[in-house]
Amino acid sequence: MKEQSIKQPPPLENPINGRTSLQMYDLNVDEAVEEIRARGARRVVIQLPDGLKPLGFELCREIEAKTGVEVYLTSDPCYGACDLAWEAMNLLQAELTVHCGHAEIPHLNDGRTIYLEARSNVSIEKPLKEALKMVEGVRVGLLATVQHIHLLERASRILRKLGKEVYVGRAGGKLRYDGQVLGCDFTAATSISEKVDFYLVIAGGVFHAVGVEASTGKPAIAVDPYLGRAVKVSDRVEKLMKIRMATRGRMLEAKRIGVLVSLKPGQMRVGFARKIKSMLEREGKECVLIAGRELTGLNLNSFSEIDLFINTACPRIAWDDREGFMKPILNAEEAVSFLESKQKRLGIG
Amino acid sequence: MKEQSIKQPPPLENPINGRTSLQMYDLNVDEAVEEIRARGARRVVIQLPDGLKPLGFELCREIEAKTGVEVYLTSDPCYGACDLAWEAMNLLQAELTVHCGHAEIPHLNDGRTIYLEARSNVSIEKPLKEALKMVEGVRVGLLATVQHIHLLERASRILRKLGKEVYVGRAGGKLRYDGQVLGCDFTAATSISEKVDFYLVIAGGVFHAVGVEASTGKPAIAVDPYLGRAVKVSDRVEKLMKIRMATRGRMLEAKRIGVLVSLKPGQMRVGFARKIKSMLEREGKECVLIAGRELTGLNLNSFSEIDLFINTACPRIAWDDREGFMKPILNAEEAVSFLESKQKRLGIG
C-alpha cells in the first residue's frame, strides 16, 4: 500500500439490511432521511438496481414514515449511476431522487440526486486467497466495484501479510473512490498498470475483471465475494477480443447500419453518434440514428432491415448483452478506431 | 348499416409497404413529409410499434432524404397512442414525433405529434364468413382496431349481402373512428349493445374481442385477418372473469400492496393511484407507490416483499401480461369497485 491512505466511504449507521441470501447489502436510510429533511423535499423518487429491489418496500415505508414526504419507487431498470431517474422526477413533480446502490459520478450530479451507496457485507478472505494461487508476481493492483469498495483496506492488509505489494489506483474521471472500477471506466486500473504484475478485482461476476485485463494487458483475477471464489479471466478476454475483431470485420460488409443513442442522462452522446454516422456515410454506408432507453435485443431485433448496430451508450450493451442481439453490435470507440486506421491506411485520414 | 356513413380515414397515397409476410401494412410517408415541411421541423423522432419496426429503416431514410431533417428512430416499446415519445423528443431536442401505427387519441395530442396510421392490407372475407357460422342472430355489432378500420365498410357490405343488420358504434372518448376498439376503450361496443345479438371484432389476436364480450355481456367473435380465421372467445372471457374474481379475493389477504403508476404520457394517473393508496390504508394495508415506464413482471418481480400489485396504467398489463408476474395483479377500477362495495356492505361507504 506504500503508506497511501485510500479515499474511502465512512461506515453506515442504522442501515436497512438485505434479508435474503442473494441481497446481502446495507443501505444507510438515515442519510437519505436527513438529506430529504434538509432539502425540504415534498415528493421523492427512489431508484434501485434489480439486486436491491427486495429492500424497496421497507425503504420506501421507512422514509415515508420518518419524513412525511410522498415517495415513489421506480420499477424501471437501473444499471448504474449514469442511469438516473430525471424523467420520473420531472413527470412526478418530485424534487429529489434517492439513487441507491451506485456511487455518484461527480460530473453527472445535477444536485437533485442523493446517492445512497450499498455496502455488501459478505466476506472476501476465501476468494482472495484462492486468487493468489492462480497467478504469479508480488505487485498486486487492487480494484473493487463500489459495493465492495470498503473492503479495499481489509484486502490490502491481508495481501501485505501474505508478502504482496499492493497498489490502488487513484479516483478520477467517472470514479468517486480510489481503486473503484466501473464497466465504462478502468482508469484506476490503467493508471497503475506499469507498477503491477497482476490485478485482483473484487466484484460480482467476471465482467469488470475482463475489462481490466482487456484494458491493461495484465492478468486480472475476478474475486467474487458472492460466490466466494476467484476466477481467471484470460480465456474470456481472448474470446472477447476475437469476437470484437470479427465484429469489426462485419462492419466492412454491412450496408445498413443503426447507430444507437442512449436516452439515459449519463449515457447520451448525440454528437458522437452524429460523427460516426458521417464517417460511415463517407464509407458509402446507409445509416440511421436509433435512440432508446433500454437498448436491448428485445427492443432492437425487430429492426430487421439493419445489418449491424454501433453503440454509443453503455459499453456493456455490446460486450455483455451481445448474445441478445440477432445482428452484430460494435461499440462506438471500436468502430471509430477501426475506421480511422482504415482511412489512414488509405491515405484519407 | 341503417344508411349511416362511417367516419373513416382516406385512402393512402405513396405508402411504404411492409415487405415480410408478418408485416402487411401500408404507411403514408408523404403525409409525414408534408407535415414536417409545413411545420418547419429540423429534428424528428419516429416511433413504431414492434410490428412496424421492420419498416423503420426505409421510413427513416426516406423522410431524411425528402425533408433534410435529422431523424431519430426510437427503439423503446410502443404499445399505443397513449405511449408517446415526449421524453425522447425533449431529450433529443426534436420538434416533432411521427407516431406510427396508432390512431390519435384526440385529448392526448399536444400538437407535436403526427399520427401516421398503418393500414393492414390483408383480406377479411374468409374469417368473416367463418365467424358467422359460430354464432346465431341477425343484428351484428361490427368493430375493428385502427389497423383494420378501413375494412368496416367492406365488411358491412359483405354482412348485409348475407342478410345481416350491421351496427357500428360512434367514435367518442379515446376513439378517433366509428367502430374503433381500443384495449382500454370499449365504448363503441357498449353504445350499441342493446341493439345487437353479437359482435364481430376485426383485430389481430383475441384480446379486443375478449374485452368486448366482458364489457357488454354479448358474444363476441375475434375475426383475425392475419391468421385468416375466426375465434369464439366465451371460454376465455369466463376464465378471465374467474381469475379476476380470485385476484380480488387475494386483495383481502394481501398485507403489502404496490400501486403501479405509469410514466407514459397517456397512461399516467397519479391522483387515482393516491386515492387507491388511501382507500387501502383505511383497510389496514401497507402501501407503496411504484412508478415505471415498462410495468412488466421483469421489472417488478424483484420487489419480492410485495404481496399484490394494483395497476393504474394500461389495463392490458393486468389482463394480457398477467402471466409474467409472480404476484397477483389487479386493475385499479376493479380494486376500487371491490373496495367500495365492501365498504358499502359494512356501512362505511
Side-chain angles (χ1 to χ4, degrees), chain A residues 206-221 231-245 319 322:
Chain A
V206 298
F207 175 79
H208 294 90
V210 167
V212 167
E213 183 161 327
S215 315
T216 61
K218 298 256 169 113
I221 313 284
V231 182
K232 273 193 87 157
V233 297
S234 301
D235 290 353
R236 286 179 175 84
V237 172
E238 204 182 319
K239 193 182 157 200
L240 179 68
M241 291 303 182
K242 277 185 191 160
I243 290 169
R244 287 166 65 185
M245 283 304 292
W319 292 359
R322 191 181 63 238

mmCIF file of all heavy atoms in Angstrom, chain A residues 206-221 231-245 319 322:
data_model
loop_
_atom_site.group_PDB
_atom_site.id
_atom_site.type_symbol
_atom_site.label_atom_id
_atom_site.label_comp_id
_atom_site.label_asym_id
_atom_site.label_seq_id
_atom_site.Cartn_x
_atom_site.Cartn_y
_atom_site.Cartn_z
ATOM 1 N N VAL A 206 -17.645 -11.709 -13.588
ATOM 2 C CA VAL A 206 -16.307 -11.558 -14.166
ATOM 3 C C VAL A 206 -16.187 -10.328 -15.061
ATOM 4 O O VAL A 206 -15.094 -9.992 -15.520
ATOM 5 C CB VAL A 206 -15.913 -12.806 -14.998
ATOM 6 C CG1 VAL A 206 -15.856 -14.050 -14.115
ATOM 7 C CG2 VAL A 206 -16.880 -13.031 -16.155
ATOM 8 N N PHE A 207 -17.293 -9.641 -15.296
ATOM 9 C CA PHE A 207 -17.289 -8.565 -16.288
ATOM 10 C C PHE A 207 -16.197 -7.522 -16.047
ATOM 11 O O PHE A 207 -15.460 -7.154 -16.956
ATOM 12 C CB PHE A 207 -18.658 -7.883 -16.340
ATOM 13 C CG PHE A 207 -18.676 -6.691 -17.254
ATOM 14 C CD1 PHE A 207 -18.781 -6.870 -18.619
ATOM 15 C CD2 PHE A 207 -18.554 -5.407 -16.755
ATOM 16 C CE1 PHE A 207 -18.768 -5.786 -19.477
ATOM 17 C CE2 PHE A 207 -18.533 -4.312 -17.599
ATOM 18 C CZ PHE A 207 -18.646 -4.501 -18.970
ATOM 19 N N HIS A 208 -16.091 -7.043 -14.797
ATOM 20 C CA HIS A 208 -15.131 -5.972 -14.526
ATOM 21 C C HIS A 208 -13.683 -6.448 -14.681
ATOM 22 O O HIS A 208 -12.840 -5.719 -15.190
ATOM 23 C CB HIS A 208 -15.360 -5.380 -13.125
ATOM 24 C CG HIS A 208 -16.688 -4.682 -13.013
ATOM 25 N ND1 HIS A 208 -17.841 -5.338 -12.621
ATOM 26 C CD2 HIS A 208 -17.055 -3.404 -13.288
ATOM 27 C CE1 HIS A 208 -18.844 -4.482 -12.647
ATOM 28 N NE2 HIS A 208 -18.415 -3.306 -13.042
ATOM 29 N N ALA A 209 -13.419 -7.671 -14.242
ATOM 30 C CA ALA A 209 -12.068 -8.216 -14.395
ATOM 31 C C ALA A 209 -11.710 -8.359 -15.876
ATOM 32 O O ALA A 209 -10.584 -8.062 -16.284
ATOM 33 C CB ALA A 209 -11.968 -9.564 -13.676
ATOM 34 N N VAL A 210 -12.664 -8.792 -16.674
ATOM 35 C CA VAL A 210 -12.430 -8.906 -18.122
ATOM 36 C C VAL A 210 -12.041 -7.540 -18.691
ATOM 37 O O VAL A 210 -11.073 -7.413 -19.446
ATOM 38 C CB VAL A 210 -13.687 -9.469 -18.838
ATOM 39 C CG1 VAL A 210 -13.574 -9.305 -20.354
ATOM 40 C CG2 VAL A 210 -13.880 -10.945 -18.480
ATOM 41 N N GLY A 211 -12.775 -6.524 -18.284
ATOM 42 C CA GLY A 211 -12.490 -5.171 -18.766
ATOM 43 C C GLY A 211 -11.103 -4.702 -18.343
ATOM 44 O O GLY A 211 -10.396 -4.061 -19.115
ATOM 45 N N VAL A 212 -10.719 -5.025 -17.108
ATOM 46 C CA VAL A 212 -9.405 -4.614 -16.597
ATOM 47 C C VAL A 212 -8.288 -5.293 -17.400
ATOM 48 O O VAL A 212 -7.346 -4.642 -17.855
ATOM 49 C CB VAL A 212 -9.273 -4.948 -15.086
ATOM 50 C CG1 VAL A 212 -7.826 -4.821 -14.613
ATOM 51 C CG2 VAL A 212 -10.185 -4.024 -14.265
ATOM 52 N N GLU A 213 -8.420 -6.586 -17.609
ATOM 53 C CA GLU A 213 -7.380 -7.298 -18.372
ATOM 54 C C GLU A 213 -7.340 -6.820 -19.827
ATOM 55 O O GLU A 213 -6.259 -6.624 -20.393
ATOM 56 C CB GLU A 213 -7.599 -8.814 -18.302
ATOM 57 C CG GLU A 213 -6.494 -9.582 -19.015
ATOM 58 C CD GLU A 213 -6.374 -11.052 -18.607
ATOM 59 O OE1 GLU A 213 -6.636 -11.387 -17.433
ATOM 60 O OE2 GLU A 213 -6.007 -11.865 -19.475
ATOM 61 N N ALA A 214 -8.508 -6.596 -20.410
ATOM 62 C CA ALA A 214 -8.555 -6.129 -21.801
ATOM 63 C C ALA A 214 -7.943 -4.727 -21.939
ATOM 64 O O ALA A 214 -7.294 -4.423 -22.933
ATOM 65 C CB ALA A 214 -9.990 -6.137 -22.308
ATOM 66 N N SER A 215 -8.131 -3.888 -20.912
ATOM 67 C CA SER A 215 -7.636 -2.501 -20.993
ATOM 68 C C SER A 215 -6.149 -2.383 -20.680
ATOM 69 O O SER A 215 -5.494 -1.439 -21.120
ATOM 70 C CB SER A 215 -8.353 -1.593 -19.987
ATOM 71 O OG SER A 215 -9.717 -1.819 -19.987
ATOM 72 N N THR A 216 -5.628 -3.302 -19.843
ATOM 73 C CA THR A 216 -4.252 -3.142 -19.369
ATOM 74 C C THR A 216 -3.289 -4.150 -19.974
ATOM 75 O O THR A 216 -2.075 -3.938 -19.955
ATOM 76 C CB THR A 216 -4.181 -3.324 -17.832
ATOM 77 O OG1 THR A 216 -4.619 -4.662 -17.515
ATOM 78 C CG2 THR A 216 -5.061 -2.325 -17.105
ATOM 79 N N GLY A 217 -3.823 -5.277 -20.447
ATOM 80 C CA GLY A 217 -2.961 -6.335 -20.957
ATOM 81 C C GLY A 217 -2.300 -7.165 -19.860
ATOM 82 O O GLY A 217 -1.552 -8.090 -20.140
ATOM 83 N N LYS A 218 -2.591 -6.840 -18.603
ATOM 84 C CA LYS A 218 -2.049 -7.620 -17.480
ATOM 85 C C LYS A 218 -3.117 -8.599 -16.968
ATOM 86 O O LYS A 218 -4.305 -8.288 -17.016
ATOM 87 C CB LYS A 218 -1.671 -6.675 -16.326
ATOM 88 C CG LYS A 218 -0.579 -5.681 -16.698
ATOM 89 C CD LYS A 218 0.764 -6.066 -16.103
ATOM 90 C CE LYS A 218 1.896 -5.244 -16.675
ATOM 91 N NZ LYS A 218 2.519 -4.350 -15.691
ATOM 92 N N PRO A 219 -2.672 -9.751 -16.414
ATOM 93 C CA PRO A 219 -3.662 -10.726 -15.932
ATOM 94 C C PRO A 219 -4.549 -10.142 -14.828
ATOM 95 O O PRO A 219 -4.049 -9.422 -13.959
ATOM 96 C CB PRO A 219 -2.816 -11.864 -15.357
ATOM 97 C CG PRO A 219 -1.419 -11.625 -15.806
ATOM 98 C CD PRO A 219 -1.290 -10.189 -16.202
ATOM 99 N N ALA A 220 -5.838 -10.428 -14.908
ATOM 100 C CA ALA A 220 -6.769 -9.992 -13.855
ATOM 101 C C ALA A 220 -7.534 -11.206 -13.343
ATOM 102 O O ALA A 220 -7.917 -12.080 -14.118
ATOM 103 C CB ALA A 220 -7.737 -8.954 -14.414
ATOM 104 N N ILE A 221 -7.698 -11.241 -12.020
ATOM 105 C CA ILE A 221 -8.481 -12.316 -11.404
ATOM 106 C C ILE A 221 -9.744 -11.698 -10.814
ATOM 107 O O ILE A 221 -9.663 -10.718 -10.071
ATOM 108 C CB ILE A 221 -7.718 -13.001 -10.244
ATOM 109 C CG1 ILE A 221 -6.273 -13.330 -10.642
ATOM 110 C CG2 ILE A 221 -8.474 -14.224 -9.755
ATOM 111 C CD1 ILE A 221 -6.108 -14.502 -11.525
ATOM 112 N N VAL A 231 -11.807 -16.296 -10.108
ATOM 113 C CA VAL A 231 -11.882 -16.807 -11.487
ATOM 114 C C VAL A 231 -10.852 -16.085 -12.361
ATOM 115 O O VAL A 231 -10.813 -14.856 -12.388
ATOM 116 C CB VAL A 231 -13.295 -16.570 -12.086
ATOM 117 C CG1 VAL A 231 -13.389 -17.152 -13.503
ATOM 118 C CG2 VAL A 231 -14.391 -17.155 -11.192
ATOM 119 N N LYS A 232 -10.048 -16.861 -13.058
ATOM 120 C CA LYS A 232 -9.121 -16.288 -14.052
ATOM 121 C C LYS A 232 -9.916 -15.909 -15.286
ATOM 122 O O LYS A 232 -10.800 -16.655 -15.712
ATOM 123 C CB LYS A 232 -8.077 -17.338 -14.469
ATOM 124 C CG LYS A 232 -6.865 -17.399 -13.590
ATOM 125 C CD LYS A 232 -5.766 -18.222 -14.243
ATOM 126 C CE LYS A 232 -4.902 -17.363 -15.152
ATOM 127 N NZ LYS A 232 -3.559 -17.945 -15.371
ATOM 128 N N VAL A 233 -9.620 -14.758 -15.876
ATOM 129 C CA VAL A 233 -10.465 -14.331 -16.989
ATOM 130 C C VAL A 233 -9.749 -14.323 -18.344
ATOM 131 O O VAL A 233 -10.334 -13.920 -19.349
ATOM 132 C CB VAL A 233 -11.083 -12.928 -16.718
ATOM 133 C CG1 VAL A 233 -11.992 -12.965 -15.500
ATOM 134 C CG2 VAL A 233 -10.006 -11.862 -16.566
ATOM 135 N N SER A 234 -8.495 -14.816 -18.388
ATOM 136 C CA SER A 234 -7.725 -14.726 -19.640
ATOM 137 C C SER A 234 -8.451 -15.346 -20.836
ATOM 138 O O SER A 234 -8.477 -14.770 -21.922
ATOM 139 C CB SER A 234 -6.361 -15.393 -19.467
ATOM 140 O OG SER A 234 -5.673 -14.746 -18.431
ATOM 141 N N ASP A 235 -9.046 -16.518 -20.621
ATOM 142 C CA ASP A 235 -9.761 -17.170 -21.730
ATOM 143 C C ASP A 235 -10.900 -16.296 -22.237
ATOM 144 O O ASP A 235 -11.135 -16.168 -23.434
ATOM 145 C CB ASP A 235 -10.364 -18.500 -21.270
ATOM 146 C CG ASP A 235 -9.280 -19.536 -21.003
ATOM 147 O OD1 ASP A 235 -8.106 -19.247 -21.316
ATOM 148 O OD2 ASP A 235 -9.619 -20.611 -20.476
ATOM 149 N N ARG A 236 -11.600 -15.695 -21.281
ATOM 150 C CA ARG A 236 -12.730 -14.850 -21.660
ATOM 151 C C ARG A 236 -12.271 -13.605 -22.417
ATOM 152 O O ARG A 236 -12.911 -13.175 -23.350
ATOM 153 C CB ARG A 236 -13.506 -14.424 -20.415
ATOM 154 C CG ARG A 236 -14.340 -15.549 -19.816
ATOM 155 C CD ARG A 236 -15.045 -15.055 -18.576
ATOM 156 N NE ARG A 236 -15.947 -16.041 -18.029
ATOM 157 C CZ ARG A 236 -15.583 -17.017 -17.207
ATOM 158 N NH1 ARG A 236 -14.316 -17.150 -16.861
ATOM 159 N NH2 ARG A 236 -16.474 -17.869 -16.743
ATOM 160 N N VAL A 237 -11.150 -13.057 -21.971
ATOM 161 C CA VAL A 237 -10.638 -11.858 -22.644
ATOM 162 C C VAL A 237 -10.261 -12.204 -24.083
ATOM 163 O O VAL A 237 -10.608 -11.480 -25.024
ATOM 164 C CB VAL A 237 -9.417 -11.286 -21.889
ATOM 165 C CG1 VAL A 237 -8.753 -10.162 -22.672
ATOM 166 C CG2 VAL A 237 -9.840 -10.781 -20.507
ATOM 167 N N GLU A 238 -9.607 -13.345 -24.237
ATOM 168 C CA GLU A 238 -9.196 -13.779 -25.573
ATOM 169 C C GLU A 238 -10.412 -13.964 -26.477
ATOM 170 O O GLU A 238 -10.438 -13.498 -27.621
ATOM 171 C CB GLU A 238 -8.426 -15.099 -25.438
ATOM 172 C CG GLU A 238 -7.476 -15.360 -26.596
ATOM 173 C CD GLU A 238 -6.777 -16.711 -26.421
ATOM 174 O OE1 GLU A 238 -6.390 -17.032 -25.259
ATOM 175 O OE2 GLU A 238 -6.647 -17.437 -27.415
ATOM 176 N N LYS A 239 -11.440 -14.613 -25.933
ATOM 177 C CA LYS A 239 -12.672 -14.845 -26.704
ATOM 178 C C LYS A 239 -13.316 -13.511 -27.094
ATOM 179 O O LYS A 239 -13.721 -13.299 -28.238
ATOM 180 C CB LYS A 239 -13.634 -15.697 -25.866
ATOM 181 C CG LYS A 239 -14.802 -16.252 -26.666
ATOM 182 C CD LYS A 239 -15.767 -17.050 -25.793
ATOM 183 C CE LYS A 239 -17.137 -17.076 -26.459
ATOM 184 N NZ LYS A 239 -18.220 -17.399 -25.531
ATOM 185 N N LEU A 240 -13.384 -12.615 -26.102
ATOM 186 C CA LEU A 240 -13.987 -11.297 -26.359
ATOM 187 C C LEU A 240 -13.232 -10.556 -27.462
ATOM 188 O O LEU A 240 -13.825 -9.974 -28.364
ATOM 189 C CB LEU A 240 -13.986 -10.469 -25.066
ATOM 190 C CG LEU A 240 -14.575 -9.063 -25.183
ATOM 191 C CD1 LEU A 240 -16.074 -9.113 -25.450
ATOM 192 C CD2 LEU A 240 -14.313 -8.240 -23.907
ATOM 193 N N MET A 241 -11.897 -10.620 -27.387
ATOM 194 C CA MET A 241 -11.084 -9.931 -28.385
ATOM 195 C C MET A 241 -11.343 -10.487 -29.785
ATOM 196 O O MET A 241 -11.450 -9.740 -30.756
ATOM 197 C CB MET A 241 -9.589 -10.069 -28.046
ATOM 198 C CG MET A 241 -9.171 -9.308 -26.804
ATOM 199 S SD MET A 241 -9.569 -7.546 -26.958
ATOM 200 C CE MET A 241 -8.923 -6.909 -25.432
ATOM 201 N N LYS A 242 -11.466 -11.814 -29.870
ATOM 202 C CA LYS A 242 -11.742 -12.438 -31.169
ATOM 203 C C LYS A 242 -13.100 -11.980 -31.705
ATOM 204 O O LYS A 242 -13.234 -11.644 -32.882
ATOM 205 C CB LYS A 242 -11.733 -13.966 -31.036
ATOM 206 C CG LYS A 242 -10.349 -14.558 -31.109
ATOM 207 C CD LYS A 242 -10.410 -16.082 -31.094
ATOM 208 C CE LYS A 242 -9.030 -16.666 -30.904
ATOM 209 N NZ LYS A 242 -9.084 -18.050 -30.409
ATOM 210 N N ILE A 243 -14.101 -11.996 -30.830
ATOM 211 C CA ILE A 243 -15.445 -11.580 -31.256
ATOM 212 C C ILE A 243 -15.408 -10.130 -31.717
ATOM 213 O O ILE A 243 -15.995 -9.762 -32.730
ATOM 214 C CB ILE A 243 -16.458 -11.762 -30.101
ATOM 215 C CG1 ILE A 243 -16.696 -13.245 -29.835
ATOM 216 C CG2 ILE A 243 -17.792 -11.065 -30.419
ATOM 217 C CD1 ILE A 243 -17.457 -13.545 -28.571
ATOM 218 N N ARG A 244 -14.676 -9.301 -30.970
ATOM 219 C CA ARG A 244 -14.634 -7.886 -31.335
ATOM 220 C C ARG A 244 -13.915 -7.668 -32.659
ATOM 221 O O ARG A 244 -14.350 -6.868 -33.485
ATOM 222 C CB ARG A 244 -14.002 -7.079 -30.200
ATOM 223 C CG ARG A 244 -14.973 -6.954 -29.014
ATOM 224 C CD ARG A 244 -14.295 -6.484 -27.760
ATOM 225 N NE ARG A 244 -13.790 -5.138 -27.903
ATOM 226 C CZ ARG A 244 -13.069 -4.515 -26.976
ATOM 227 N NH1 ARG A 244 -12.778 -5.138 -25.857
ATOM 228 N NH2 ARG A 244 -12.650 -3.300 -27.174
ATOM 229 N N MET A 245 -12.863 -8.416 -32.884
ATOM 230 C CA MET A 245 -12.162 -8.316 -34.172
ATOM 231 C C MET A 245 -13.092 -8.734 -35.306
ATOM 232 O O MET A 245 -13.184 -8.078 -36.343
ATOM 233 C CB MET A 245 -10.923 -9.218 -34.171
ATOM 234 C CG MET A 245 -9.732 -8.697 -33.401
ATOM 235 S SD MET A 245 -9.192 -7.063 -33.959
ATOM 236 C CE MET A 245 -8.572 -7.499 -35.609
ATOM 237 N N TRP A 319 -20.817 -5.696 -25.109
ATOM 238 C CA TRP A 319 -19.942 -6.751 -24.609
ATOM 239 C C TRP A 319 -20.729 -7.837 -23.880
ATOM 240 O O TRP A 319 -20.586 -9.010 -24.173
ATOM 241 C CB TRP A 319 -18.910 -6.168 -23.629
ATOM 242 C CG TRP A 319 -17.916 -5.268 -24.275
ATOM 243 C CD1 TRP A 319 -17.832 -4.951 -25.603
ATOM 244 C CD2 TRP A 319 -16.862 -4.571 -23.618
ATOM 245 N NE1 TRP A 319 -16.803 -4.098 -25.810
ATOM 246 C CE2 TRP A 319 -16.179 -3.837 -24.617
ATOM 247 C CE3 TRP A 319 -16.439 -4.488 -22.299
ATOM 248 C CZ2 TRP A 319 -15.086 -3.035 -24.317
ATOM 249 C CZ3 TRP A 319 -15.344 -3.688 -22.006
ATOM 250 C CH2 TRP A 319 -14.680 -2.969 -23.016
ATOM 251 N N ARG A 322 -24.444 -8.834 -25.720
ATOM 252 C CA ARG A 322 -24.259 -9.163 -27.130
ATOM 253 C C ARG A 322 -25.152 -10.312 -27.608
ATOM 254 O O ARG A 322 -25.717 -10.279 -28.695
ATOM 255 C CB ARG A 322 -22.790 -9.562 -27.280
ATOM 256 C CG ARG A 322 -22.248 -9.710 -28.633
ATOM 257 C CD ARG A 322 -20.797 -10.139 -28.504
ATOM 258 N NE ARG A 322 -20.648 -11.444 -27.861
ATOM 259 C CZ ARG A 322 -19.955 -11.670 -26.755
ATOM 260 N NH1 ARG A 322 -19.314 -10.702 -26.141
ATOM 261 N NH2 ARG A 322 -19.883 -12.879 -26.249
#
